[in-house]
Amino acid sequence: MHDDHRVPADHERFRGDYPVVVEGLVNRFGTQTVHEHLDLKVRRREILGVVGGSGTGKSVLMRSIIGLQQPTEGHIEVFNRSITDAEPDANIGVRNRWGVLFQGGALFSTLTVGENVEVPLRQFYPELSPELRREIARYKVLLSGLPEEAANKYPSELSGGMKKRAGLARALALDPELLFLDEPTAGLDPIGADKFDRLTKELQDTLGLTVFLITHDLDTLYAICDRVAVLADKRVIAVGTIPELLETGHPWIEEYFNGPRGRAAQGTQARTQARTGAES
Amino acid sequence: MSEGAEFSFDESEDGAARLVLTGPWLVSTVGKVDKELRELEGPVAALDLSHVSEIDTVGAWLACTLAGRLGADITGANERAARLLKAVESSSNEVQIEPPRLPIHLRVPQQVGKRVIATGHGIAAVLGFLGQIILGFGSLIRHPGRFRGKALVHQLELVGVNALPIIGLMSFLIGIVIAQQGAVQLAQFGAETLTVNLVGRITLRELGVLMTAIMVAGRSGSAFAAQLGTMKLTEEVDAMRTIGISPIEALVIPRILAATFMMLVLGFYSSVVAIIGGAVVGDMMLGIPFWTFLSRIQEVVPVHDMWVGLIKAPVFGLIVGLAGCYHGMQVEGNSEEVGKRTTMAVVSAIFAVIVLDAFFAVFFTEIGWG
């Protein structure tokens, strides 16, 4: 895939197999090494779940991929364009093709939700008329599952779950091909988390998204992830579907998926499948 | 570069107009045609999407609203487009995004009214805050073990020790300016030697303390407001309350004590450094030897000038600390509020200091400390 270095036109969608390629990533903070020669490829149009214990550098990995964190060593490509060779804030032509949902939502607190969604539109497509921009923003707010009235509320007036949805609306503003979600269901009630999962899946289906999803939520992993990447020992120790992961026999993976919570999530998943099987 | 989104009219066999969309209909390409589309008039029987090379939610949105407005049916949508159209259809379009905005003849009285009410609430809130602080002091006196010595020492360092270089430099320069400018004017009466009186009295009575208060308001009053404001936003203050720590005792009182005490020290220090600055000018330009200048100060400046400065300084410090902490604790909502409250803390502190200074000037002269 490295031979294809032509710069695609503005609206061209990525046709390769791996929108995100991480090779030999090393991240060091002082004497502490977070990643040691980490490799990871994200397939096009998959939902890749990223799991790992606290402090294994899941968020650091995401920040490296989206160019917020200059790695010590290694090479990262997004849509065949190098992130690591570019200057931190350089225009590398991929920022309008990805959307990022940060853990706390990271909404601009002085703007309403609707205006938040308008920010990337204004930044990348200043030629859009204000009416169209407003219409797009409203539509994205609805798409993210928020009620209409939420569009003219300020972030401080929203609950945690609504903030996440508003953050998702902003991440989706430009119809990105690649979506980064950092613990989207953390801090949501089970019903809200379930709804968010289904929304992610639905959007991925409809919009043909590739999703990079950091999560601790076992239900999310079972319900919507096509593959799961496991971060441990400063590397990605395994990538695959959950049954494939369990076959590796790695003790951490065993404990993670076969612990009491893992079993509960597995059970829920089995019941859901049985129910949908019976209905169809 | 890419081609843009385009559309054209087409007559179908039965004579009804058909709108054919061509090219990519994406957020990056529809900007140009949007305006033309808005001016289109019906009736159009059908909207043909079969020649659209690519489409995203924005393109689908435009097609859908257009079809709805012109009363047209959408035809020729491929699988992806159909899915997007279905997703788009379910949303309506009547919501406001901007905060609601009244016409100007209503907005002005509304703003005035809001200000008046806010002022009323503000006065009540200031009184409440003062009351809380007095209660806080009261409970600290009853339970001296709860007093946060470490926090106080830390604040003393931030407010006082770290300010020594900048306040020293400022005061030294002010001393130089007063002596030099004063000498030029006094020379017209042949009274250059009175420069000593001028420098000694004005710095001890007025300028040392006043300039220091302004500097402390800018340095520490603003820091208090920004720190406490950020802590309110991140719910640290609420977390303290739930653990049973009173934010007034833990955050506000150490800061106010530090500002009050350090103003006393810094104000005096500032006056001393300013006098030294004056003495340097005296030595170099007026032919008054350095040590002679200093011993003349002892003779010509009455002791009550020093008391005037030392009485005013802690009062000013108290005002700066109160304003900073009060505005910090009033922060609510968003980061913009932190900036606004920080500005208000500094402006109101400096304003109050200058008003009080005028009051003190009259008061001390009246009681014979002129």
Side-chain angles (χ1 to χ4, degrees):
Chain A
M1 57 172 294
H2 287 276
D3 47 18
D4 185 18
H5 271 301
R6 96 205 139 84
V7 176
D10 230 14
H11 62 271
E12 198 165 314
R13 292 179 77 84
F14 181 74
R15 307 271 177 220
D17 292 331
Y18 300 106
V20 178
V21 179
V22 181
E23 278 167 351
L25 178 71
V26 178
N27 268 312
R28 248 181 235 121
F29 299 102
T31 55
Q32 190 202 356
T33 306
V34 179
H35 299 135
E36 186 83 67
H37 298 291
L38 179 150
D39 297 309
L40 180 67
K41 283 179 172 183
V42 182
R43 287 184 190 154
R44 187 158 65 98
R45 307 191 71 164
E46 76 170 344
I47 299 184
L48 177 75
V50 177
V51 301
S54 295
T56 49
K58 300 182 294 294
S59 291
V60 176
L61 175 62
M62 184 181 106
R63 291 175 61 87
S64 301
I65 296 174
I66 55 184
L68 291 176
Q69 159 85 42
Q70 191 68 32
T72 319
E73 261 176 59
H75 190 76
I76 297 171
E77 274 188 11
V78 176
F79 302 126
N80 285 350
R81 300 205 209 170
S82 173
I83 299 291
T84 35
D85 295 343
E87 291 291 310
D89 284 317
N91 176 19
I92 42 177
V94 294
R95 284 184 219 285
N96 55 345
R97 298 171 67 189
W98 71 37
V100 183
L101 169 64
F102 289 95
Q103 231 180 81
L107 294 165
F108 304 122
S109 58
T110 55
L111 303 178
T112 64
V113 170
E115 288 169 335
N116 261 284
V117 181
E118 283 190 47
V119 170
L121 291 165
R122 203 187 298 257
Q123 171 71 15
F124 286 104
Y125 304 112
E127 76 275 8
L128 292 181
S129 66
E131 299 97 59
L132 179 61
R133 204 164 50 216
R134 214 163 296 144
E135 283 173 14
I136 297 174
R138 274 186 212 125
Y139 165 56
K140 300 284 165 162
V141 169
L142 289 171
L143 191 68
S144 66
L146 284 173
E148 300 179 76
E149 314 83 66
N152 67 350
K153 281 199 177 137
Y154 286 97
S156 54
E157 300 168 329
L158 300 181
S159 70
M162 286 169 92
K163 272 185 204 159
K164 291 238 158 107
R165 282 169 187 270
L168 183 68
R170 189 178 68 186
L172 291 172
L174 298 173
D175 265 50
E177 297 159 58
L178 184 56
L179 189 61
F180 292 93
L181 306 176
D182 192 354
E183 303 211 10
T185 52
L188 297 191
D189 65 277
I191 301 171
D194 188 43
K195 274 190 192 155
F196 203 99
D197 281 349
R198 267 187 280 160
L199 177 67
T200 311
K201 182 74 189 154
E202 214 177 278
L203 289 170
Q204 191 260 345
D205 273 344
T206 329
L207 308 177
L209 297 173
T210 307
V211 182
F212 181 98
L213 174 100
I214 296 176
T215 189
H216 274 304
D217 191 333
L218 284 153
D219 292 312
T220 308
L221 291 174
Y222 277 104
I224 63 169
C225 289
D226 299 309
R227 293 195 305 160
V228 176
V230 182
L231 252 70
D233 310 331
K234 299 166 189 167
R235 293 179 300 114
V236 174
I237 53 170
V239 191
T241 58
I242 293 170
E244 281 167 12
L245 290 180
L246 287 172
E247 276 169 29
T248 60
H250 189 283
W252 192 85
I253 298 177
E254 282 280 323
E255 208 183 323
Y256 192 86
F257 288 102
N258 285 338
R261 281 161 180 275
R263 287 199 176 283
Q266 231 169 315
T268 317
Q269 180 61 10
R271 278 197 299 281
T272 316
Q273 268 167 4
R275 199 164 54 227
T276 42
E279 278 167 13
S280 60
Chain B
M1 212 31 216
S2 59
E3 47 186 324
E6 283 166 17
F7 63 92
S8 58
F9 276 105
D10 190 19
E11 291 276 316
S12 64
E13 300 84 46
D14 49 4
R18 213 157 59 94
L19 197 60
V20 183
L21 310 186
T22 53
W25 280 66
L26 303 172
V27 61
S28 53
T29 59
V30 297
K32 289 197 189 70
V33 292
D34 173 49
K35 211 167 271 160
E36 299 168 42
L37 285 176
R38 279 171 201 278
E39 286 157 13
L40 272 186
E41 297 277 331
V44 174
L47 206 61
D48 187 2
L49 296 187
S50 56
H51 297 286
V52 170
S53 61
E54 275 192 89
I55 192 162
D56 66 2
T57 53
V58 174
W61 168 258
L62 271 179
C64 236
T65 46
L66 190 65
R69 196 165 58 82
L70 301 178
D73 297 323
I74 293 178
T75 59
N78 61 23
E79 188 209 353
R80 184 175 149 77
R83 231 178 340 179
L84 285 176
L85 287 172
K86 219 175 132 215
V88 166
E89 262 171 9
S90 52
S91 79
S92 75
N93 191 20
E94 297 305 319
V95 205
Q96 281 283 317
I97 283 189
E98 288 81 15
R101 208 176 145 88
L102 290 169
I104 190 150
H105 66 277
L106 291 176
R107 201 157 71 231
V108 172
Q110 187 201 38
Q111 287 297 328
V112 172
K114 272 187 183 166
R115 284 286 161 84
V116 172
I117 292 168
T119 310
H121 285 308
I123 292 169
V126 170
L127 286 176
F129 187 69
L130 287 176
Q132 276 182 306
I133 288 177
I134 292 167
L135 286 179
F137 269 111
S139 76
L140 278 183
I141 291 167
R142 267 182 287 122
H143 313 276
R146 290 224 300 257
F147 182 69
R148 315 212 143 222
K150 262 191 191 161
L152 176 64
V153 172
H154 181 63
Q155 290 300 329
L156 286 175
E157 186 190 344
L158 287 179
V159 176
V161 181
N162 294 351
L164 286 177
I166 182 68
I167 288 180
L169 179 65
M170 176 192 74
S171 307
F172 189 74
L173 292 176
I174 286 176
I176 286 179
V177 170
I178 294 170
Q180 196 262 337
Q181 293 293 311
V184 171
Q185 298 303 319
L186 290 168
Q188 295 178 15
F189 313 102
E192 293 104 314
T193 45
L194 289 181
T195 306
V196 182
N197 305 41
L198 178 69
V199 171
R201 299 204 65 181
I202 204 169
T203 51
L204 276 168
R205 271 185 89 98
E206 287 293 331
L207 279 187
V209 174
L210 192 61
M211 298 303 285
T212 307
I214 291 172
M215 187 58 101
V216 170
R219 263 187 102 256
S220 304
S222 60
F224 293 168
Q227 259 176 355
L228 297 185
T230 313
M231 289 179 83
K232 285 245 356 199
L233 282 191
T234 54
E235 295 179 315
E236 279 174 67
V237 173
D238 295 338
M240 280 187 160
R241 283 209 179 98
T242 56
I243 301 170
I245 303 170
S246 151
I248 295 285
E249 285 175 27
L251 299 173
V252 174
I253 287 181
R255 283 178 171 75
I256 287 176
L257 282 179
T260 310
F261 178 69
M262 273 305 170
M263 252 314 290
L264 183 71
V265 179
L266 287 173
F268 187 67
Y269 160 80
S270 162
S271 309
V272 170
V273 178
I275 289 171
I276 293 173
V280 169
V281 172
D283 197 338
M284 287 163 55
M285 293 175 59
L286 309 175
I288 308 172
F290 186 79
W291 295 110
T292 312
F293 190 104
L294 292 190
S295 60
R296 280 289 294 157
I297 290 273
Q298 282 185 324
E299 290 160 24
V300 301
V301 179
V303 179
H304 64 238
D305 276 4
M306 188 190 75
W307 290 122
V308 169
L310 289 184
I311 290 169
K312 287 200 289 189
V315 177
F316 291 174
L318 181 67
I319 287 173
V320 168
L322 279 174
C325 292
Y326 168 72
H327 284 290
M329 296 299 278
Q330 293 300 309
V331 166
E332 230 135 85
N334 57 38
S335 52
E336 196 183 346
E337 182 91 341
V338 178
K340 218 160 50 184
R341 285 291 177 177
T342 307
T343 310
M344 282 165 80
V346 176
V347 172
S348 61
I350 292 178
F351 179 73
V353 160
I354 289 173
V355 169
L356 257 185
D357 192 50
F359 166 77
F360 274 128
V362 175
F363 175 77
F364 285 125
T365 313
E366 284 295 311
I367 64 167
W369 279 9

